[in-house]
Amino acid sequence: MFLRSKKEKEILRLIGQGLSDSEITTSQHISLSTVRAHVRNVLASEALGLYSESKEKFNDS
């Protein structure tokens, strides 16, 4: 739905493979707080997308 950075896409792919946050930090050479920030950004954009879709559907009724 929303554009994601290359790193966010990679983090999502690794999560989908079942890696833990700490395993992602090791494989991507980034800090735990960076992994969590990417996940938080993805979740926030998804929530915004769901909110926007719901608002549009409600307003169309």
Side-chain angles (χ1 to χ4, degrees):
M1 165 164 296
F2 288 95
L3 297 176
R4 301 204 195 300
S5 72
K6 191 174 186 178
K7 188 57 83 172
E8 287 173 346
K9 290 177 185 177
E10 180 64 12
I11 299 291
L12 284 176
R13 186 183 70 74
L14 294 171
I15 290 170
Q17 291 179 349
L19 272 68
S20 69
D21 288 356
S22 60
E23 291 170 323
I24 294 171
T25 63
T26 302
S27 71
Q28 297 298 298
H29 308 289
I30 57 178
S31 71
L32 184 57
S33 61
T34 301
V35 171
R36 290 180 176 162
H38 285 307
V39 171
R40 192 171 41 251
N41 291 341
V42 168
L43 292 174
S45 70
E46 287 299 317
L48 180 61
L50 290 172
Y51 172 78
S52 297
E53 288 176 21
S54 297
K55 187 175 177 183
E56 287 174 13
K57 287 180 184 177
F58 184 76
N59 286 334
D60 288 343
S61 312

